[in-house]
């Protein structure tokens, strides 16, 4: 079964990539579409379109009608990466210079805008009697993404962020678009709203698990497999489940030491090891792992409630794929 | 009649302003919506929503169903202003600091993204059996706006831009959204596609006239009435109908002198007068005025073709309003 999932995953990822490129055929001016091409060439796991396709498949047994919506969601995701990288002043993504490093801020800002519009163009080609509702959910997703990014920006200048606030932020910035992907896929498959919501909640929980796991991988992962630099969140003083937990729950001495270490641009492996030690002592790592487990189990339960058994095995495969990264 | 138009114009502008503010009720976080509020408070002539409402009125006799679409178009227009101001590094708009001067680039970039999403949320509340087509035209408008902005950015580094290229750029950057406003208004009024297209072409021609007239006002206007600084396009070396015409048609001596004057940040009134003199001698001002006249007449002819006579007088009022700014 896992083999089956990996097989369609590979096939669909390739198809998404082909369709992304095809969208750019014949479009001009190059100053707008060449940067967009650069973004598409950057690759990625394409998990959002795959999730939309899986949802459509579970509901209707078919994915043919869902390609446009799936590709639209991937385009939208790429828009958020381009604009977030500008705001976060990130220099690299997937081993290449970020778009704004390559083309400058103005052109990247504009390319991001073009990506949103392109996403809607592709989405609105979808043949569905529920297209209005699909477009509404897609749009709500963008509003919530912007709200999540605003919270993230706001957190940068605060030291008193709570875990609840952090969970709200990641649910808006990460989980919501997975929710939207699954529920739109279901609607394209002509699901009832309640079925679409159930698949959406499955994806939402998976999204929360995914993000907290991402926070964990920053200090637990093997660089050679994930490509993530050890302690990069710590160096950049990025708020994570771990740092927020430790800053809220640690002793006064721990909190003081953490505050002086986090965000030190020139801190080395020793200092990151020290931060990791504090996270361990305060119980932040255990707590984060429990949170991941909690969300994965919630995702599982959402699937139990689904009326459909056909093809559900693929959703389980997806769940394993997402929750066992580098485990 | 002109009195009638001015009356509903004032009433509708006020209603658009109220509805824009109402859209922000209860939304958070403030870091996203406060900047958006700042943008809405900046005011403006609201000509795009007014045009949508007029189109709806001409087709159906009513505007009630059109408010959401009209407000959505104004929100979209504000998105383009926010992002264009970032790209163009403009410091002031309508007598106030631009958004990025007030809140910084990151928050303004994000606020612009929020405006696009908000525009779709409002648009998709429209009750219409043609909502899919409405959303498609709205989306095509954004794609074309981005293409126009890309051309504008590209022109900055070129000295060989032709008038045809310039006209393509302004048709994408300015005329298209007026086209979309009118055609969406017509569709909300349940127009046939051909009727929507006719109103769209009316607005498109008016948009071209509007932009070239804007270029003329830069050197012909009285600052106290338009609020435009004398020669600001010349100081910023912004490509206009006038500068492109003169650079293409002037003598070698004129072109050389123009190239040295345009974009001189510290040039004063005397140099701007000199540029104006060159524009006059080369015939650029006459030619621009002929172009404005041509587009206004084309707009008129589009109205002649309309089957509807009811309320057409308001569209004529709108045409006069747009084409007689500071005349």
């Amino acid at each position: 079964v896992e083999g089956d999932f990996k097989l369609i995953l590979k096939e669909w990822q390739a198809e998404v990539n082909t369709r992304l490129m095809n969208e750019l055929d014949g479009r001009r001016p190059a100053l707008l579409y060449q940067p967009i091409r650069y973004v598409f060439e950057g690759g990625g796991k394409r998990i959002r379109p795959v999730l939309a396709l899986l949802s459509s498949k579970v509901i209707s047994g078919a994915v043919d009608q869902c390609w446009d919506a799936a590709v639209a969601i991937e385009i939208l995701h790429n828009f958020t990466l381009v604009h977030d990288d500008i705001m976060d002043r990130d220099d690299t993504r997937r081993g290449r210079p970020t778009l704004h490093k390559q083309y400058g801020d103005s052109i990247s800002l504009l390319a991001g805008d073009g990506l949103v519009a392109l996403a809607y163009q592709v989405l609105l080609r979808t043949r569905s009697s529920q297209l209005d509702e699909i477009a509404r959910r897609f749009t709500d997703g963008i509003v919530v993404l912007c709200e999540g990014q605003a919270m993230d920006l706001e957190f940068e200048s605060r030291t008193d962020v709570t875990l609840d606030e952090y969970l709200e932020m990641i649910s808006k910035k990460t989980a919501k678009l997975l929710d939207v992907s699954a529920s739109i896929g279901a609607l394209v498959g002509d699901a009832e709203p309640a079925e679409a919501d159930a698949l959406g909640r499955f994806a939402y929980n998976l999204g929360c698990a995914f993000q907290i796991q991402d926070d964990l991988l920053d200090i637990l992962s093997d660089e050679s497999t994930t490509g993530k630099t050890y302690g990069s969140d710590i160096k950049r003083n990025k708020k994570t489940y771990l740092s927020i937990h430790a800053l809220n729950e640690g002793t006064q001495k721990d909190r003081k030491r953490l505050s002086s270490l986090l965000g030190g641009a020139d801190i080395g492996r020793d200092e990151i090891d020290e931060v990791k030690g504090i996270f361990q002592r305060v119980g932040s790592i255990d707590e984060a792992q429990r949170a991941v487990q909690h969300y994965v189990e919630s995702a599982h339960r959402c699937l139990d409630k689904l009326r459909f058994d056909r093809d559900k095995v693929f959703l389980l495969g997806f769940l394993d794929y997402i929750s066992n990264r580098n485990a």
Side-chain angles (χ1 to χ4, degrees), chain A:
Chain A
V1 165
E2 201 186 313
D4 286 355
F5 172 72
K6 287 277 168 66
L7 218 66
I8 64 164
L9 175 68
K10 248 191 148 153
E11 187 191 315
W12 288 355
Q13 285 169 333
E15 179 73 19
V16 167
N17 289 337
T18 303
R19 285 173 181 262
L20 286 171
M21 286 307 172
N22 288 348
E23 284 304 330
L24 303 182
D25 277 356
R27 293 190 189 249
R28 60 176 199 92
L31 197 67
L32 177 60
Y33 294 107
Q34 183 50 40
I36 290 179
R37 184 178 302 273
Y38 178 84
V39 172
F40 290 168
E41 283 168 351
K45 294 186 294 295
R46 314 305 192 196
I47 62 170
R48 290 157 194 83
V50 166
L51 181 55
L53 292 160
L54 284 176
S55 290
S56 184
K57 190 173 168 62
V58 164
I59 296 290
S60 71
V63 300
D64 315 30
Q65 305 294 320
C66 195
W67 281 106
D68 284 329
V71 169
I73 290 162
E74 181 62 22
I75 296 173
L76 185 69
H77 173 59
N78 278 273
F79 143 73
T80 68
L81 298 182
V82 168
H83 278 188
D84 285 3
D85 282 345
I86 297 175
M87 291 182 247
D88 299 343
R89 306 314 309 163
D90 278 330
D91 291 349
T92 59
R93 172 168 295 281
R94 293 177 192 140
R96 301 185 314 160
T98 48
L99 190 69
H100 63 92
K101 269 281 154 188
Q102 192 76 3
Y103 286 90
D105 283 6
S106 286
I107 290 171
S108 304
L109 164 52
L110 183 62
D113 293 345
L115 283 164
V116 181
L118 188 60
Y120 272 102
Q121 271 191 336
V122 176
L123 182 79
L124 291 169
R125 283 201 308 252
T126 303
R127 286 161 189 273
S128 165
S129 60
Q130 304 200 63
L131 186 52
D132 295 351
E133 177 62 17
I134 288 167
R136 272 183 216 109
R137 292 194 185 214
F138 192 81
T139 300
D140 290 346
I142 309 176
V143 170
V144 169
L145 278 168
C146 291
E147 292 174 355
Q149 175 67 3
M151 292 182 76
D152 204 3
L153 290 178
E154 196 207 312
F155 290 177
E156 279 177 14
S157 57
R158 283 178 51 193
T159 53
D160 60 346
V161 179
T162 66
L163 266 185
D164 279 351
E165 289 178 307
Y166 178 73
L167 290 173
E168 185 186 351
M169 186 274 283
I170 64 168
S171 78
K172 288 182 167 221
K173 232 186 122 162
T174 303
K176 178 69 179 182
L177 190 54
L178 291 176
D179 179 345
V180 166
S181 304
S183 68
I184 284 182
L187 289 173
V188 173
D190 227 10
E192 301 290 325
E195 292 161 353
D197 290 343
L199 280 163
R201 276 193 303 275
F202 160 75
Y204 177 91
N205 280 295
L206 213 46
C208 292
F210 181 86
Q211 185 56 56
I212 298 170
Q213 202 185 33
D214 211 59
D215 294 350
L216 278 163
L217 287 178
D218 190 57
I219 50 159
L220 297 184
S221 76
D222 174 354
E223 284 184 34
S224 62
T225 40
T226 63
K228 241 192 132 166
T229 312
Y230 178 62
S232 67
D233 291 342
I234 292 169
K235 280 187 190 161
R236 294 172 50 212
N237 196 19
K238 197 171 162 298
K239 297 279 189 302
T240 68
Y241 193 98
L242 299 168
S243 66
I244 291 172
H245 182 274
L247 286 169
N248 276 290
E249 304 295 329
T251 63
Q252 202 179 349
K253 194 174 150 232
D254 285 335
R255 298 201 317 251
K256 211 167 162 184
R257 183 66 185 143
L258 265 182
S259 298
S260 77
L261 286 170
L262 294 172
D266 50 356
I267 63 173
R269 201 163 181 102
D270 285 353
E271 285 89 351
I272 295 171
D273 285 342
E274 189 186 344
V275 170
K276 185 173 172 181
I278 297 175
F279 288 166
Q280 273 162 332
R281 198 168 59 244
V282 178
S284 308
I285 292 176
D286 286 349
E287 191 52 39
Q289 283 170 333
R290 265 196 296 273
V292 170
Q293 203 45 41
H294 160 77
Y295 285 114
V296 168
E297 283 163 15
S298 296
H300 254 292
R301 277 196 302 275
C302 293
L303 286 190
D304 292 341
K305 280 182 218 146
L306 265 189
R307 299 195 282 125
F308 299 90
D309 268 340
R310 174 191 58 193
D311 295 332
K312 198 192 273 185
V313 63
F314 290 111
L315 285 178
L316 290 168
F318 184 83
L319 191 152
D320 282 347
Y321 174 67
I322 296 296
S323 57
N324 290 316
R325 291 185 295 160
N326 197 43

